[in-house]
Amino acid sequence: MYQRKCYKDCRLRFHVLIDSDVVSPARGKPAFLKEFAHMGAIGWTQDDGKVLWHCGGTLIWIDYVLTAAHCVVDHRNIRPDIVRFGDLNLETDEDDEYAQQYKIAQIYRHPLHRFGVKYHDIALIKLEQPIRLHDTVCPACLWIDPDIRFTEFIATGWGSTVEDRTPSLLKVSLKPMESSKCEMFYTSELIRGLSSGLHENHLCAVDEEMDTCEVRIFDNSTKYICMGAIISDRTILTSASCVNTAASLFVQPLGNSEISFQVRRIVQHSSFNTTDYSNDIAILRLPQSLIWSPGLHPVCLWNDQTHSPLIVEMLQPFNTTYITDIEYIEDIEDTEIIEDTEYIENIEDTEYIEYIENIEYIELLTMYNSDCQRTHAYRVRDSHICVKYPYREYTCLSSHSMLRWKDAGVVPYLIGLSTDTRECMGWSYMIFSRVAAFIDWIVDNIDFEEIKRSFNV
């Protein structure tokens, strides 16, 4: 058995544990006509006639659709009014030859379901008239055996992937996960709405193609602050300027908005300078170990002290919306959710949050630090790396982000962490803390036993 003893052999770990296909970011594959003839898109018709397709459902009888109970109202407490079948792309009419669309006559939500709670999350939709049976539109069979003996599932739906939103019907393979492992992530402490933990009617599955070595970082008011990178089973690497004023922090793996971990301790570089943002790096310590899988793993750290990749990717989150619970309640036109006291009680924080999980990957060119120094307000140090967007005049963004690079085997390396960027708007470049310059500091602040736990092969 081989044990990883330092960060320089990170690539070996990836080659042994994960092949190149698994490391790649998760992307749903397009579904084919007739492949999932039971799938229906559930829509909300707007005043201008446009339809918003927020959920999907499964046709189980000629006039009944099975869906999730949380799909029977939108964020304004308005019920859906139509279901569409046989249409692979909801935004074009090129594949509408076999499309069928029906109005909803009635919705039956499980009597024990409560909004904001993740139990009994199931509902039936009755259509106004039966569908026309066809190869492209027909009901699915229901699995009634209590034992799940399958080694693979296929999830289908319209909507979002890790990197984009799409109107096309996509499919993705999932692997079943044992309840004992799943319970380590889905607990009442980590997941809002699971006050009693997982129940026997929950089914756990994992997307083995999810590439998750980054996290979102929130403060104690659940406001998004910046991004961080997983570097060991209990350690997140981020910018000191991101967390230096926070009293309490939480982290959340990208691609799974329902899981979060509270940060136990923040370790900032002792020489962090809030004036010129030199040594702008920090470590976040978690109270418990993450469980590695092909979908959740630490990033490799770039350790070449003299050279950096010519082209790097900047990870930038976007389309994040926050709605306070007061605004949320005032916007509700019906009394159903208001009267659901268990729903209100489960909003424990001062904000009700709804955000779109999107990450933008922007290709940047690495520059000589001397090029950036010509217009930079402070000294550009050897521990900095300078990058520029080649296709527009300005590069600097007023938001914390990260730089990464993937080698030929698509193994991800963390190159840089952005410094505080409040004063940078209008610059034609952006300054990051060079991760390679802080390798010794990083290793010194992680227990050796933790390194062995994180990188055993």
Side-chain angles (χ1 to χ4, degrees):
M1 177 177 290
Y2 170 79
Q3 287 189 338
R4 184 176 189 269
K5 294 183 173 61
C6 68
Y7 282 94
K8 294 184 179 180
D9 58 357
C10 182
R11 196 175 194 279
L12 296 177
R13 167 173 55 87
F14 271 88
H15 275 284
V16 174
L17 278 182
I18 307 172
D19 61 37
S20 59
D21 290 335
V22 174
V23 177
S24 300
R27 295 181 178 90
K29 298 178 181 179
F32 298 105
L33 191 66
K34 304 181 183 180
E35 188 177 12
F36 304 103
H38 59 273
M39 278 299 298
I42 300 173
W44 283 254
T45 304
Q46 307 300 294
D47 293 338
D48 59 1
K50 181 181 178 181
V51 179
L52 301 180
W53 306 99
H54 288 322
C55 277
T58 297
L59 185 68
I60 62 170
W61 198 247
I62 56 174
D63 55 353
Y64 276 93
V65 175
L66 188 66
T67 188
H70 69 262
C71 282
V72 302
V73 292
D74 65 5
H75 68 282
R76 297 171 298 167
N77 199 35
I78 297 176
R79 293 173 177 263
D81 62 330
I82 56 174
V83 184
R84 188 173 179 85
F85 305 95
D87 191 355
L88 296 180
N89 190 311
L90 299 172
E91 290 190 356
T92 70
D93 55 9
E94 296 177 358
D95 62 341
D96 287 358
E97 179 181 356
Y98 302 104
Q100 300 183 37
Q101 186 166 301
Y102 300 92
K103 290 185 177 181
I104 295 174
Q106 188 66 41
I107 296 176
Y108 304 93
R109 183 163 61 99
H110 194 288
L112 297 180
H113 176 258
R114 296 292 182 268
F115 290 103
V117 181
K118 302 184 184 301
Y119 302 111
H120 311 290
D121 191 6
I122 193 169
L124 278 172
I125 292 176
K126 180 173 173 55
L127 306 178
E128 276 195 352
Q129 63 187 84
I131 56 96
R132 300 186 304 276
L133 287 173
H134 189 269
D135 287 350
T136 59
V137 181
C138 62
C141 297
L142 295 180
W143 183 261
I144 59 175
D145 193 322
D147 295 328
I148 305 296
R149 298 186 292 271
F150 303 103
T151 59
E152 182 180 4
F153 305 120
I154 297 179
T156 56
W158 296 268
S160 62
T161 64
V162 174
E163 297 181 358
D164 202 358
R165 294 187 63 81
T166 171
S168 299
L169 181 62
L170 302 180
K171 59 184 178 180
V172 62
S173 295
L174 303 176
K175 296 292 185 182
M177 177 183 285
E178 296 178 4
S179 297
S180 58
K181 293 183 179 179
C182 198
E183 287 171 349
M184 300 181 69
F185 296 100
Y186 290 87
T187 66
S188 58
E189 291 80 14
L190 299 177
I191 307 297
R192 178 182 296 167
L194 278 180
S195 57
S196 301
L198 291 179
H199 279 187
E200 60 181 7
N201 55 5
H202 283 126
L203 177 64
C204 222
V206 61
D207 176 3
E208 291 198 337
E209 292 187 356
M210 183 68 72
D211 176 17
T212 306
C213 51
E214 296 91 19
V215 298
R216 294 176 182 267
I217 301 174
F218 298 85
D219 64 13
N220 58 357
S221 66
T222 64
K223 179 182 178 181
Y224 169 74
I225 301 177
C226 61
M227 294 181 66
I230 303 170
I231 62 172
S232 73
D233 64 347
R234 291 192 182 184
T235 305
I236 308 297
L237 193 65
T238 188
S239 302
S241 56
C242 160
V243 299
N244 67 322
T245 60
S248 180
L249 294 173
F250 297 81
V251 299
Q252 184 179 84
L254 294 184
N256 196 330
S257 59
E258 295 186 334
I259 294 178
S260 64
F261 300 91
Q262 186 170 10
V263 174
R264 179 173 60 86
R265 187 162 64 96
I266 303 173
V267 181
Q268 295 186 30
H269 196 288
S270 59
S271 299
F272 169 53
N273 189 316
T274 56
T275 300
D276 63 5
Y277 299 105
S278 56
N279 303 303
D280 190 1
I281 192 168
I283 277 177
L284 308 182
R285 302 284 294 160
L286 303 181
Q288 63 190 86
S289 296
L290 300 172
I291 306 300
W292 300 137
S293 71
L296 185 69
H297 54 75
V299 68
C300 291
L301 299 181
W302 184 260
N303 55 71
D304 192 318
Q305 301 288 335
T306 59
H307 294 82
S308 299
L310 178 61
I311 300 176
V312 294
E313 289 181 323
M314 180 172 71
L315 280 64
Q316 181 71 30
F318 67 103
N319 285 350
T320 301
T321 303
Y322 298 94
I323 306 173
T324 67
D325 57 341
I326 296 176
E327 293 173 339
Y328 178 72
I329 292 173
E330 287 177 347
D331 196 40
I332 295 177
E333 301 174 358
D334 202 306
T335 60
E336 180 180 2
I337 292 183
I338 295 295
E339 293 174 356
D340 194 338
T341 57
E342 188 170 355
Y343 174 77
I344 300 298
E345 290 172 358
N346 270 274
I347 301 180
E348 300 172 351
D349 299 323
T350 58
E351 292 184 333
Y352 175 82
I353 305 170
E354 176 181 297
Y355 63 85
I356 302 172
E357 182 79 43
N358 280 320
I359 295 293
E360 185 178 13
Y361 297 83
I362 305 173
E363 284 195 345
L364 302 176
L365 298 178
T366 55
M367 309 280 291
Y368 289 112
N369 282 3
S370 57
D371 294 333
C372 298
Q373 185 65 78
R374 296 191 182 102
T375 56
H376 197 65
Y378 302 104
R379 176 187 171 191
V380 179
R381 302 174 181 269
D382 291 339
S383 59
H384 287 140
I385 182 172
C386 181
V387 294
K388 177 178 174 59
Y389 186 59
Y391 305 113
R392 65 185 179 199
E393 183 177 359
Y394 302 119
T395 298
C396 203
L397 303 173
S398 57
S399 175
H400 283 88
S401 56
M402 299 187 299
L403 294 180
R404 76 171 187 184
W405 174 78
K406 287 187 173 182
D407 66 8
V410 292
V411 176
Y413 285 83
L414 182 65
I415 305 296
L417 299 164
S418 66
T419 60
D420 191 286
T421 55
R422 287 174 294 182
E423 301 175 359
C424 78
M425 297 306 291
W427 292 352
S428 59
Y429 56 86
M430 191 169 180
I431 298 294
F432 285 75
S433 295
R434 188 190 303 269
V435 170
F438 298 98
I439 289 293
D440 291 340
W441 179 85
I442 293 170
V443 174
D444 288 343
N445 282 277
I446 301 180
D447 296 334
F448 180 66
E449 291 301 317
E450 181 177 333
I451 293 178
K452 290 196 297 182
R453 281 200 312 272
S454 300
F455 303 104
N456 282 351
V457 175

